[in-house]
Amino acid sequence: KLLQVCRLCCSLTGICYSPINLKVCGRFIDRIVLHVRDPRGALLSWAHHVNRLQKLHPNGIESTIHPIPDDFPSWPLSDQLDWHIEHHLVSLVGWLRQWLAVSQAQSPIRILWTSHEELANNERALFDKIINFFEVPMDRVDFQTPEKTMEVHYRSGEINEWSVVFSMNQKARCADIIGKDLLERFNWPSG
């Protein structure tokens, strides 16, 4: 339950990297999985998710740290992406940079970094890696691949879908925000 709370805090607010929260979490857990995705792919997925939420809740959506403008649903996707780049992408990169700082500092919590690419390329291998990290005996695992449907927020899962959707200007802006160091660190394409 605490791990779910930590994951929720991290994904919605990015606060779990603070020293006090790490100290509190360190009293209850000794390891955590940080699953990362190229921020451009995460941004595109988020843009579609926000649009889907807006259709489901036209009177306003909650649970986002960047409230969208009132007329946002009427904007073309390209303009929506520009807005997300300036707001959501900046938050994603900040979250990632702060977790990198945590992983390089002395932390009571061991961190296993996993990636969307691992998930997309070999789901079972990724879950085996996580299971081994948590030292769960394999005979206690019943691996069942979930259906990939919108009921579980599965839209496409394409690794580099952003590269065919984003304009050249959007690609350049994203690369500037992400930074060459992160692109190289995670072996993400430069644009």
Side-chain angles (χ1 to χ4, degrees):
K1 201 74 158 161
L2 178 65
L3 186 56
Q4 290 172 335
V5 170
C6 286
R7 187 178 66 223
L8 180 64
C9 288
C10 290
S11 64
L12 294 180
T13 66
I15 62 170
C16 230
Y17 54 72
S18 74
I20 188 70
N21 285 337
L22 284 175
K23 195 173 208 170
V24 169
C25 285
R27 292 181 187 153
F28 301 98
I29 60 174
D30 67 347
R31 63 196 85 182
I32 190 170
V33 173
L34 287 179
H35 186 74
V36 298
R37 184 176 187 182
D38 182 323
R40 296 162 294 192
L43 178 136
L44 181 59
S45 180
W46 181 251
H48 285 291
H49 182 66
V50 166
N51 287 339
R52 189 170 48 256
L53 283 177
Q54 187 63 39
K55 287 179 184 169
L56 291 172
H57 308 285
N59 293 327
I61 55 175
E62 303 299 327
S63 75
T64 173
I65 60 173
H66 301 290
I68 59 174
D70 290 339
D71 60 343
F72 191 80
S74 67
W75 296 5
L77 180 61
S78 180
D79 291 349
Q80 291 178 348
L81 292 173
D82 286 336
W83 188 89
H84 283 298
I85 288 168
E86 296 306 320
H87 295 86
H88 190 64
L89 183 67
V90 171
S91 295
L92 292 174
V93 171
W95 180 91
L96 184 56
R97 286 191 180 283
Q98 294 199 335
W99 272 111
L100 281 170
V102 167
S103 71
Q104 294 165 354
Q106 295 294 337
S107 171
I109 300 173
R110 290 180 19 215
I111 298 171
L112 173 66
W113 290 85
T114 63
S115 72
H116 176 73
E117 293 80 8
E118 289 176 282
L119 179 64
N121 291 330
N122 191 337
E123 191 173 291
R124 179 59 196 251
L126 172 63
F127 283 100
D128 286 348
K129 178 179 171 179
I130 294 169
I131 290 163
N132 287 328
F133 177 70
F134 283 102
E135 301 173 6
V136 175
M138 291 306 279
D139 63 351
R140 296 190 61 202
V141 176
D142 180 18
F143 184 81
Q144 297 177 10
T145 304
E147 286 187 47
K148 293 179 169 82
T149 65
M150 285 307 298
E151 283 75 41
V152 293
H153 303 286
Y154 184 88
R155 190 184 57 80
S156 79
E158 296 291 322
I159 292 175
N160 291 318
E161 181 186 11
W162 62 269
S163 68
V164 296
V165 174
F166 289 6
S167 70
M168 292 305 289
N169 287 341
Q170 289 169 333
K171 290 177 189 178
R173 181 69 182 124
C174 288
D176 286 345
I177 292 170
I178 295 168
K180 186 177 179 184
D181 62 323
L182 289 184
L183 294 172
E184 290 175 359
R185 161 72 169 80
F186 291 100
N187 199 28
W188 292 324
S190 60

